[in-house]
Amino acid sequence: MVDSSPETVTPLTEESAIASLQQEDLSLRYYAAWWLGKFRIRTKAAVDALIVALADEDHRTELGDYPLRRNAARALGKLEDKSAIDSLIQALECSDFYVREAAAQSLEMLGATTAIPALKLLLNSGTEATKQVTGRPHSLEPCEAVIEALGSLGATETVPLIESFLNQPVVKVQYAALRALYQLTQNDVYGQRLVDALKGSDVKLRRVALTDLGAIGYLPAAEAIAQCSVESSFKLIALKGLLEHLALQANLSDAIRVMSLMDSLL
Amino acid sequence: MTALQELIQSVEQASEPAQLVAAVQALVAVKDKQAISTLIAVLGYNNPAAAIAAVAGLIELGTDSVQPLMEQLDEYNYGARAYSIRALAAICDPRALELFINAATTDFAPSVRRGSAIGLGRLQWDRLNPEQVYPAQQQAMATLLSISGDTDWSIRYAATVGLQALAKIPELKAQITSHFDGQSQTESDVGVRSRLHWAQQVLSQV
């Protein structure tokens, strides 16, 4: 993910960023919330100020969106402070799609297993949730982020629910389901389908599949990743994902196989 | 028009991506150094398959490609620049030393910096004048040691690969080994730590 910086860059400090979150100027609040996440300001004061910002009512667009809440939700995922979990679970009920999406991603980053029931609720309508909202560039629910979170959080009871998303038409959601199902079952069938996706005709989708394989550390994909027709930096990151999964098991010969491929992509 | 001129023209006039790839492959196949300039231009066409074919052709032409690659380095297109560096790093000609040092330390594009780091480890030092060899090796090592503390994990990873290759030089081995020992104590990234561990293992067996 690439962080987008606002155009007017004011140099901030930890104190001034936290103070900015309470200022009148809404753009300054928006920037400060992004800044605290970007520079990983992990103090209690920063986390508390962002939790307040997550319930903000001042910064609303004409369409009813909550820009500051979005940035606060994104930042809280990066600060590794579990005291944000309950507020993020509440943010899953926000009317703004992008707040719900950011909250799901941050809960995944925080390893918040207590969020599983609330995440499941977002998929209550089943694959209906992947339908596009008229006039907006997004679906009804942030299915991709929710499914990925359920996979990472080890919500094994959601396997049948997630399986139903394999047959809906949105390809990125299919890949998210494959990724989660592999994490939840360790069944090669799902990993292999992501490997097959590396040969797809759309380069953007090849990048998504590559990222998913890296995230689940699917070792049998190593050679296919190295040969995939995508920029080297994406392949390098995916192979590093494989390597990180291996390093935990201290499996040196497999690690050397992956690192040899990485070396050839430098 | 000669056969070579026709091949060059078909590269310059290709209008479809697949047509360009085929034209580049045909030009590469004749292995003529007069094709070098055209092959370098292809690196900036934003067609990865054609660029990969052109890089392979430039590498095959070897030392003849070095001077043109350095002179025609694209300052405004980092994708093209990364391909040029990749070709130079594979040709291993020590005339690229200065270029690699500058690119490894100052280029904004990680792909260019990684390629330069690999290149610094691989140069064919015996092609320099004897009195230049040791200072050049020292410069290469100093550059890699300095970027091994970069904030980007992929740069630290590439520096490790470059340093492992440089450690084949007996005069440098002790310093590189002790650097690896120190860095592996403090390295925060699991991937880089794994690569350091592998490098240490290889060096301990030589």
Side-chain angles (χ1 to χ4, degrees):
Chain A
M1 275 285 143
V2 177
D3 285 299
S4 54
S5 166
E7 281 174 27
T8 51
V9 178
T10 324
L12 287 180
T13 62
E14 184 184 322
E15 290 74 21
S16 71
I18 293 168
S20 294
L21 278 178
Q22 277 112 43
Q23 285 218 349
E24 284 292 302
D25 184 343
L26 294 175
S27 66
L28 212 58
R29 285 197 217 176
Y30 183 75
Y31 176 50
W34 168 83
W35 189 91
L36 288 167
K38 166 75 182 170
F39 294 101
R40 304 279 198 284
I41 307 299
R42 295 200 177 93
T43 60
K44 179 143 191 355
V47 173
D48 288 348
L50 286 166
I51 289 173
V52 172
L54 194 54
D56 171 82
E57 285 291 348
D58 297 339
H59 199 176
R60 276 198 97 167
T61 67
E62 287 170 17
L63 289 164
D65 293 336
Y66 290 97
L68 177 60
R69 289 193 192 187
R70 293 177 187 172
N71 270 4
R74 287 173 193 136
L76 284 166
K78 295 177 182 166
L79 301 188
E80 295 173 2
D81 188 323
K82 291 188 187 286
S83 66
I85 288 175
D86 289 343
S87 307
L88 285 165
I89 290 174
Q90 278 177 30
L92 290 174
E93 294 172 17
C94 182
S95 57
D96 182 340
F97 172 92
Y98 295 104
V99 174
R100 299 198 299 281
E101 182 181 58
Q105 287 165 339
S106 289
L107 286 162
E108 177 183 8
M109 290 162 85
L110 294 174
T113 48
T114 52
I116 292 172
L119 287 163
K120 271 162 64 180
L121 281 179
L122 294 185
L123 302 182
N124 241 356
S125 63
T127 56
E128 282 290 308
T130 65
K131 292 254 161 71
Q132 283 288 305
V133 176
T134 320
R136 306 226 65 180
H138 59 73
S139 51
L140 212 54
E141 292 296 345
C143 299
E144 204 185 331
V146 172
I147 290 171
E148 287 180 4
L150 288 169
S152 295
L153 296 172
T156 45
E157 73 276 19
T158 62
V159 166
L161 173 66
I162 294 175
E163 273 178 333
S164 69
F165 283 85
L166 288 174
N167 300 316
Q168 55 67 52
V170 186
V171 180
K172 281 185 180 182
V173 178
Q174 279 176 30
Y175 292 178
L178 289 169
R179 161 178 168 164
L181 288 167
Y182 179 77
Q183 286 173 311
L184 297 173
T185 66
Q186 298 292 303
N187 186 334
D188 275 326
V189 171
Y190 303 119
Q192 282 305 324
R193 279 181 60 180
L194 283 172
V195 174
D196 293 342
L198 295 178
K199 297 198 192 92
S201 58
D202 180 338
V203 65
K204 291 198 192 98
L205 290 174
R206 290 201 296 274
R207 288 188 199 126
V208 174
L210 209 57
T211 308
D212 288 333
L213 286 163
I216 62 176
Y218 189 61
L219 185 61
E223 281 75 18
I225 290 171
Q227 282 153 23
C228 178
S229 181
V230 157
E231 300 85 339
S232 290
S233 20
F234 286 91
K235 300 197 258 191
L236 209 50
I237 292 170
L239 287 170
K240 181 168 177 265
L242 266 52
L243 182 60
E244 284 170 352
H245 277 73
L246 279 172
L248 300 170
Q249 302 160 18
N251 187 332
L252 193 62
S253 67
D254 282 338
I256 287 176
R257 197 179 117 214
V258 175
M259 289 189 284
S260 303
L261 292 168
M262 288 174 73
D263 287 8
S264 72
L265 294 168
L266 297 169
Chain B
M1 208 185 318
T2 68
L4 183 75
Q5 283 170 328
E6 277 175 33
L7 288 167
I8 288 174
Q9 203 173 64
S10 65
V11 169
E12 287 167 351
Q13 292 175 351
S15 52
E16 297 289 320
Q19 201 186 349
L20 177 65
V21 177
V24 171
Q25 284 167 341
L27 181 58
V28 163
V30 298
K31 299 178 189 175
D32 189 320
K33 56 185 175 186
Q34 292 180 66
I36 287 172
S37 216
T38 308
L39 293 175
I40 294 172
V42 170
L43 307 181
Y45 288 2
N46 195 22
N47 179 325
I52 288 165
V55 166
L58 288 162
I59 293 171
E60 201 166 356
L61 289 165
T63 48
D64 287 328
S65 300
V66 173
Q67 200 63 35
L69 271 167
M70 297 199 323
E71 281 167 7
Q72 292 175 51
L73 197 69
D74 193 333
E75 285 178 53
Y76 299 100
N77 179 341
Y78 69 87
R81 205 155 67 241
Y83 286 122
S84 295
I85 294 282
R86 187 169 277 253
L88 286 168
I91 298 168
C92 311
D93 188 307
R95 279 176 288 169
L97 174 68
E98 288 293 328
L99 175 65
F100 285 156
I101 289 174
N102 286 332
T105 48
T106 64
D107 206 287
F108 78 90
S111 54
V112 174
R113 303 183 63 198
R114 291 193 295 262
S116 303
I118 302 309
L120 283 171
R122 278 192 197 151
L123 295 175
Q124 293 170 345
W125 308 103
D126 53 9
R127 294 168 67 172
L128 288 170
N129 293 327
E131 75 278 6
Q132 293 176 321
V133 171
Y134 188 63
Q137 291 172 340
Q138 286 288 330
Q139 271 183 296
M141 180 175 71
T143 303
L144 290 171
L145 290 174
S146 79
I147 65 167
S148 73
D150 199 89
T151 52
D152 179 340
W153 73 267
S154 74
I155 302 296
R156 301 201 299 281
Y157 187 104
T160 306
V161 179
L163 283 167
Q164 181 187 327
L166 270 191
K168 285 186 193 133
I169 300 164
E171 293 87 346
L172 306 183
K173 189 182 169 186
Q175 196 177 340
I176 292 171
T177 306
S178 96
H179 177 79
F180 283 163
D181 293 345
Q183 193 185 342
S184 60
Q185 299 295 315
T186 55
E187 176 57 53
S188 58
D189 184 275
V190 181
V192 179
R193 221 161 49 225
S194 302
R195 191 63 189 79
L196 280 167
H197 178 61
W198 184 23
Q200 287 174 304
Q201 207 187 38
V202 170
L203 292 187
S204 71
Q205 285 165 356
V206 182

